[in-house]
Amino acid sequence: MAKSLLCSSTLNPFFSTTLSSSASSKKTQIVYSGNSKNQTSSLLWNRRELSLGFMSSLVAIGLVNNDRRRQDANAAILEADDDEELLEKVKQDRKKRIERQAVLNSAVKEKGYLQDLVYKLSKVGQAIENNDLPAAGLVLGKGIDTEWVKTVDLAFTKLSTSPEENTEVEAFNSSLASLITSVNKNDIESSKLAFVSSAGAFEKWTTLTGVLEQLKGL
């Protein structure tokens, strides 16, 4: 009986320690197992998020690239349209130059009228500079209905093709009328102003029409 109790008292601490260790080990295993499951789940979730993020990035890059391709295609179309418009404009300008040159080459009489105008303006300018308005009056005549004014107007009409050119013709005619009136009134200051205005309008017109080079060759 004493031996039985001894064994019991001796073994009880051992079993108690063993059971406690076993329970602690199981508990640790359970906790570790739970942590392992949580870590595995967390890793799987992170991988899933990374995959979704990667796919989203690919989709975004694809959309951006598609948009850039569309922009490049639209730019190419616009550039092609601009090139066609520029080419058409060059063709039209070349056609106008050829037509204008043909008109100038055929306008033999008209260029003669304009050459006469240059001569008269030169003589009138010299007379005004010398304050000799009677001499200027002899060159200009008494009014705008003189023959040389009519012939100059014919040349202007034939060789003027643009609104800008017609504007300069109107400016010249108005200044010439003022010049003739001022000279006949013996108004030296007004004559000077009218002469400068008429000569300036005529020079602009010859530049616009290309007549200037033609007159230099006469």
Side-chain angles (χ1 to χ4, degrees), residues 69-210:
R69 283 194 291 270
R70 283 195 297 269
Q71 291 178 355
D72 292 341
N74 291 335
I77 293 172
L78 291 175
E79 185 176 355
D81 291 341
D82 291 340
D83 290 342
E84 290 180 1
E85 291 179 3
L86 180 60
L87 181 60
E88 185 62 26
K89 186 177 184 301
V90 170
K91 289 181 179 179
Q92 292 297 326
D93 290 343
R94 183 172 181 274
K95 181 180 178 181
K96 289 179 180 179
R97 285 196 303 271
I98 293 173
E99 292 174 349
R100 169 57 63 86
Q101 191 61 45
V103 171
L104 290 175
N105 291 338
S106 65
V108 178
K109 287 193 305 181
E110 287 76 10
K111 285 186 290 186
Y113 299 151
L114 295 174
Q115 187 65 34
D116 184 54
L117 171 62
V118 172
Y119 172 77
K120 289 183 181 299
L121 288 177
S122 176
K123 298 297 287 185
V124 170
Q126 291 175 4
I128 292 175
E129 185 178 5
N130 295 326
N131 294 327
D132 189 359
L133 293 186
L138 291 175
V139 176
L140 292 172
K142 295 298 181 179
I144 59 174
D145 57 347
T146 56
E147 188 63 27
W148 74 268
V149 175
K150 293 178 180 178
T151 57
V152 168
D153 191 56
L154 289 174
F156 283 149
T157 301
K158 181 173 182 178
L159 299 176
S160 299
T161 59
S162 71
E164 293 83 2
E165 294 163 6
N166 288 323
T167 297
E168 296 304 328
V169 169
E170 291 174 0
F172 173 80
N173 288 334
S174 176
S175 298
L176 180 62
S178 298
L179 175 61
I180 294 173
T181 301
S182 299
V183 168
N184 289 327
K185 287 182 177 181
N186 204 32
D187 186 343
I188 186 65
E189 294 301 324
S190 296
S191 297
K192 289 179 179 179
L193 292 175
F195 175 78
V196 171
S197 180
S198 59
F202 178 65
E203 183 180 6
K204 289 180 181 178
W205 179 85
T206 58
T207 302
L208 289 171
T209 57

